[in-house]
Amino acid sequence: SGLYTGTSICRDGDGLIFGEFIFFEDPNDKSKLFFYWNKQLAYGVINCNKNSITIPVQRVGNFKIHGQGYLDNNYKLINFDYTETYDNGDTVSCNAHFIKK
């Protein structure tokens, strides 16, 4: 958990820059890493043995997000591919890359 900077690049040309992005642990389940996406609380499931993160399908405002990726051994880098699925059926594939401050 901690404060990260990051970027997100999507296949449709959209992207985001995250100057301060916070990941934080679930106090009841250490395998969950919470974060805010589209101003909504979301989470990823961490597998420390595989250095992986899986983001299950979850609603974050007017779309759903899901994806998977990896973390380096020291959790200084978090990288995941994700898909945004909108209520109208549109989907946007993206990649997010975070570096711990």
Side-chain angles (χ1 to χ4, degrees):
S1 61
L3 185 61
Y4 288 73
T5 60
T7 58
S8 173
I9 304 296
C10 298
R11 289 191 182 144
D12 67 356
D14 285 345
L16 298 167
I17 296 175
F18 305 102
E20 293 190 349
F21 194 91
I22 299 173
F23 287 99
F24 55 99
E25 293 177 5
D26 180 336
N28 300 313
D29 183 351
K30 297 295 183 190
S31 70
K32 284 188 178 177
L33 193 61
F34 286 112
F35 55 93
Y36 283 93
W37 202 265
N38 196 31
K39 299 181 183 177
Q40 302 287 318
L41 187 62
Y43 72 95
V45 178
I46 304 300
N47 182 328
C48 293
N49 293 329
K50 295 183 178 180
N51 288 11
S52 68
I53 181 169
T54 300
I55 301 166
V57 175
Q58 53 202 291
R59 180 164 287 281
V60 288
N62 63 343
F63 60 90
K64 293 178 184 174
I65 186 175
H66 71 279
Q68 58 187 7
Y70 69 89
L71 311 109
D72 75 347
N73 288 333
N74 297 323
Y75 301 97
K76 293 188 183 227
L77 297 175
I78 299 175
N79 190 76
F80 55 84
D81 295 321
Y82 66 95
T83 301
E84 296 176 349
T85 304
Y86 291 83
D87 294 338
N88 65 6
D90 287 348
T91 61
V92 178
S93 297
C94 307
N95 173 267
H97 184 75
F98 297 94
I99 301 170
K100 192 165 191 174
K101 281 190 158 188

